[in-house]
């Protein structure tokens, strides 16, 4: 049986009827048409589906939409301020931290959660924070450099 | 894309409603906490319960409460919070260490302590330190509540003594004794998203800082269907004055106390050798802590 749930996604309120077996990834992509959130493995290994749920980054492929009822969610679509990229997104572009881009939404959201808690992370802290996000293209080095650069940029603003 | 089979979903507002629902489902329902084990198993088609019972709205299940000396950890507390609360880091550092190496930051933000226990994976990270520290679990169903030593909770891979209509409400840890110390080391191929090849949790209690060992627990994980005691290592330690030689003897005995299997993560021989190394390291660290603690 479908259930009515309320979500706040990127500061916008939604009321949706969902079947209990649909994941948050599916509802974001298929019902809300927010295609920035990717589904890679579907079982918690890759982090392509990362969203920020009530302030914490999680694997949305392992969250039932009904479990997210009443929650506040941020997806990659909610990171930029209109046409102005977030400093983390800018740094990813500048440092060549994006190749195919499939891991990028998740990487950016994990990095954002890190920098909000810890504005001046060490390299190890950065690597630890993105350890649930796999990238098959960049070899991670440029992603780490981009996050270091973003940390400096954000301090200046 | 991996799809979930169909099921119903219930979200009880309190424990008695949750117990009533589970009893009514007659074994066809399952509690869902963080879902990081359950949903993976359901997506892989390994299980298909007809109803999931979400426990996140039940008050009191997601908190840590001090209770004259001991603490009660609600079963629905996420693993990330075990690494954030100062009281865990200070009083139960072993639990803090195990929580910080579980899965990835993303998994730790959903995975719960209760789920990590009930799922009963042979390589689960939280049970070894909890067993070593003498944790008890509280189980509740419609007829009542019972408290069981975690050491007696596990039967084998995925199998425990919990009944189908019971909910694990929380974990109780007593105040650590004076002059005690513990340490947990997980060995994996990489640092994140890794299932242990071998893990060891050691806990020792001294009678005074330079005194004899009053109690010792050496728990070995990933070398048997469930976490086990290194029985002869523990026996050798108790009643003795700790020396490097004693620790080496205990570590050697620990490697004979287990009979692991060969699998893709490591051979039995390698695992035994690593049990010896990790037992030595965890005992040495536990001893150092015990000498300082008061
Ligand atoms: C990518 C990935 C990496 C992982 N890495 C690790 C790791 O390094 N170490 C590790 O130990 N584990 C790991 N896990 C396994 C899993 O994340 C943990 O075991 C986690 O703690 C399970 O908790 P949960 O809340 O998600 O449980 P759920 O999936 O919600 O539940 C697991 C089982 O416990 C039952 N259950 C849960 N809570 C209760 C309760 N209160 N009362 C009664 N029954 C209950 C459920 O019915 C189900 O059978 C990993 C999983 C994934 C997907
Ligand atoms: S799709 Fe969710 S972790 Fe891979
Ligand atoms: S850029 Fe292709 S997976 Fe990371």
């Amino acid at each position: 049986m479908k259930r009515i749930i309320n979500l706040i996604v990127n500061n916008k309120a939604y009321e949706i009827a969902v079947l209990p077996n649909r994941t948050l990834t599916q509802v974001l992509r298929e019902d809300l048409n927010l295609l920035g959130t990717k589904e890679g493995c579907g079982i918690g290994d890759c982090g392509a589906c990362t969203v920020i749920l009530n302030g914490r980054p999680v694997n949305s492929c392992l969250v039932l939409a009904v479990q997210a009822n009443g929650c506040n969610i941020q997806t990659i679509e909610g990171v930029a301020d209109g046409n102005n990229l977030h400093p983390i997104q800018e740094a990813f572009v500048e440092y060549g931290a994006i190749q195919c881009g499939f891991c990028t939404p998740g990487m950016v959201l994990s990095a954002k959660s890190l920098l909000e808690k810890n504005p001046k992370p060490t390299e190890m802290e950065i690597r630890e924070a993105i350890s649930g996000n796999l990238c098959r293209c960049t070899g991670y080095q440029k992603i780490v450099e981009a996050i270091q650069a973003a940390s400096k940029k954000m301090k200046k603003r | 894309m991996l799809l979930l089979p169909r099921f119903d979903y219930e979200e009880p507002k309190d424990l008695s409603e949750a117990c009533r629902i589970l009893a009514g489902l007659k074994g066809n329902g399952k509690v869902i906490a963080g879902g990081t084990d359950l949903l993976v198993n359901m997506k892989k088609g390994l299980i298909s319960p007809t109803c999931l019972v979400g426990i996140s709205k039940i008050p009191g299940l997601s908190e840590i409460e001090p209770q004259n000396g001991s603490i009660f950890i609600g079963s629905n507390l996420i693993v990330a919070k075990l690494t954030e609360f100062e009281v865990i880091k200070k009083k139960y550092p072993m639990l803090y260490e195990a929580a910080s190496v579980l899965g990835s930051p993303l998994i730790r933000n959903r995975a719960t302590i209760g789920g990590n226990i009930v799922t009963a994976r042979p390589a689960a990270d939280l049970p070894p330190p909890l067993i070593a520290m003498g944790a008890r679990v509280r189980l509740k169903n419609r007829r009542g509540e019972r408290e069981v030593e975690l050491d007696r909770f596990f039967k084998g891979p995925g199998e425990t003594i919990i009944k189908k209509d019971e909910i694990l409400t929380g974990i109780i840890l007593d105040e650590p004794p004076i002059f005690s110390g513990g340490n947990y080391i997980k060995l994996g191929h990489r640092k994140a998203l890794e299932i242990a090849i071998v893990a060891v949790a050691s806990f020792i209690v001294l009678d005074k800082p330079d005194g004899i060992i009053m109690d010792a627990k050496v728990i070995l994980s990933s070398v048997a269907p469930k976490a086990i005691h290194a029985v002869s290592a523990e026996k050798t330690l108790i009643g003795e004055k700790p020396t490097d030689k004693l620790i080496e003897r205990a570590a050697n005995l620990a490697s004979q106390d287990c009979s692991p299997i060969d699998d893709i993560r490591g051979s039995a021989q390698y695992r035994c050798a690593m049990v010896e190394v990790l037992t030595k390291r965890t005992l040495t660290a536990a001893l150092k802590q015990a000498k300082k603690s008061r």
Side-chain angles (χ1 to χ4, degrees):
Chain A
M1 203 179 64
K2 281 197 179 179
R3 294 171 71 102
I4 306 284
I5 59 166
N6 289 285
L7 303 176
I8 297 176
V9 184
N10 303 329
N11 294 323
K12 218 171 130 188
Y14 296 89
E15 192 180 74
I16 325 163
V18 296
L19 281 171
N21 69 345
R22 299 191 65 229
T23 63
L24 184 56
T25 316
Q26 284 175 304
V27 168
L28 290 170
R29 289 181 56 88
E30 296 163 11
D31 296 26
L32 305 188
N33 207 26
L34 294 170
L35 300 173
T37 305
K38 307 296 180 216
E39 174 144 340
C41 65
I43 52 171
D45 284 325
C46 74
C49 63
T50 303
V51 302
I52 298 180
L53 183 72
N54 284 350
R56 289 177 182 270
V58 302
N59 301 109
S60 65
C61 70
L62 294 183
V63 179
L64 298 175
V66 289
Q67 286 182 296
N69 186 15
C71 292
N72 201 322
I73 295 154
Q74 188 178 40
T75 67
I76 190 66
E77 287 88 349
V79 173
D81 176 10
N83 285 330
N84 297 322
L85 291 183
H86 186 279
I88 299 174
Q89 293 172 307
E90 276 175 4
F92 267 61
V93 174
E94 279 166 26
Y95 282 76
I98 305 171
Q99 285 187 30
C100 78
F102 199 77
C103 69
T104 311
M107 285 290 181
V108 169
L109 290 168
S110 282
K112 185 165 179 279
S113 304
L114 168 70
L115 294 181
E116 277 165 8
K117 265 197 318 204
N118 178 0
K120 271 175 65 183
T122 62
E123 183 186 338
M124 273 321 287
E125 285 167 339
I126 292 173
R127 289 187 183 272
E128 158 69 21
I130 58 168
S131 60
N133 298 86
L134 302 188
C135 176
R136 303 306 303 268
C137 306
T138 65
Y140 301 99
Q141 186 57 31
K142 289 182 186 296
I143 293 177
V144 173
E145 285 167 14
I147 298 171
Q148 284 169 326
S151 143
K152 288 199 190 106
K153 269 191 202 206
M154 286 163 74
K155 233 179 23 218
K156 280 200 205 120
R157 296 200 178 181
Chain B
M1 186 189 265
L2 286 167
L3 296 174
L4 284 164
R6 286 218 176 193
F7 52 82
D8 287 328
Y9 182 72
E10 297 280 355
E11 205 166 64
K13 299 280 170 292
D14 58 39
L15 262 181
S16 62
E17 189 189 348
C19 291
R20 203 167 56 238
I21 294 172
L22 276 179
L25 287 166
K26 300 197 183 350
N28 294 316
K30 272 211 167 279
V31 169
I32 179 164
T36 59
D37 259 312
L38 189 64
L39 296 179
V40 171
N41 287 336
M42 288 172 68
K43 283 187 176 186
K44 289 184 175 165
L46 301 175
I47 46 169
S48 45
T50 57
C51 183
L52 296 187
V53 182
I55 55 171
S56 64
K57 299 276 154 42
I58 299 176
L61 283 196
S62 309
E63 278 135 50
I64 289 192
E65 270 174 64
Q67 294 183 336
N68 46 47
S70 59
I71 59 165
F72 174 85
I73 306 176
S75 64
N76 205 46
L77 190 88
I78 56 171
V79 173
K81 288 205 175 165
L82 292 174
T83 69
E84 293 164 7
F85 281 116
E86 207 45 42
V87 36
I88 302 287
K89 198 169 173 178
K90 239 177 89 193
K91 273 197 180 171
Y92 309 98
M94 235 200 307
L95 182 58
Y96 165 84
E97 284 154 21
S100 6
V101 295
L102 190 151
S104 68
L106 303 171
I107 292 290
R108 293 196 285 277
N109 282 337
R110 291 296 293 170
T112 66
I113 181 169
N116 196 247
I117 293 172
V118 178
T119 197
R121 292 184 177 206
D125 278 304
L126 305 184
L130 288 171
I131 293 172
M133 294 186 293
R136 299 185 302 282
V137 291
R138 204 171 279 169
L139 306 171
K140 187 172 165 57
N141 66 7
R142 211 158 60 144
R143 286 184 307 276
E145 195 173 70
R146 56 179 177 146
E147 226 173 84
V148 184
E149 280 174 41
L150 187 59
D151 210 358
R152 295 179 29 224
F153 182 78
F154 300 105
K155 292 204 292 199
E159 281 187 49
T160 72
I161 59 154
I162 198 168
K163 299 202 184 97
K164 290 205 157 105
D165 65 346
E166 274 181 323
I167 297 178
L168 171 68
T169 56
I171 295 93
I172 300 140
L173 275 171
D174 287 334
E175 172 98 28
I178 179 170
F179 309 126
S180 66
N183 190 242
Y184 175 72
I185 302 180
K186 169 189 192 176
L187 177 73
H189 291 292
R190 62 196 287 267
K191 281 197 180 143
L193 285 175
E194 174 61 311
I195 298 165
I197 306 169
V198 175
V200 178
S202 293
F203 186 73
I204 53 177
V205 186
L206 302 175
D207 66 342
K208 51 181 192 274
D210 54 354
I212 61 163
I213 300 173
M214 311 255 290
D215 195 10
K217 295 279 177 338
V218 178
I219 309 295
L220 314 179
S221 171
S222 301
V223 291
K226 56 178 190 168
I228 56 166
H229 287 263
V231 181
S232 42
E234 290 176 350
K235 267 200 199 134
T236 299
L237 292 163
I238 295 172
E240 298 293 322
K241 218 173 149 78
T243 58
D244 287 351
K245 239 175 139 178
L246 180 75
I247 287 179
E248 261 162 41
R249 193 161 77 232
N252 184 266
L253 286 169
S255 73
Q256 296 167 36
D257 278 335
C258 61
S259 45
I261 53 162
D262 288 313
D263 70 10
I264 50 163
R265 282 179 281 135
S267 67
Q269 200 187 1
Y270 176 70
R271 285 197 159 102
C272 286
M274 290 306 107
V275 163
E276 182 164 353
V277 174
L278 298 192
T279 303
K280 192 169 143 188
R281 285 189 198 161
T282 51
L283 280 172
T284 307
L287 179 66
K288 202 167 142 198
Q289 218 181 73
K291 286 186 170 174
K292 279 195 305 204
S293 94
R294 50 188 60 246

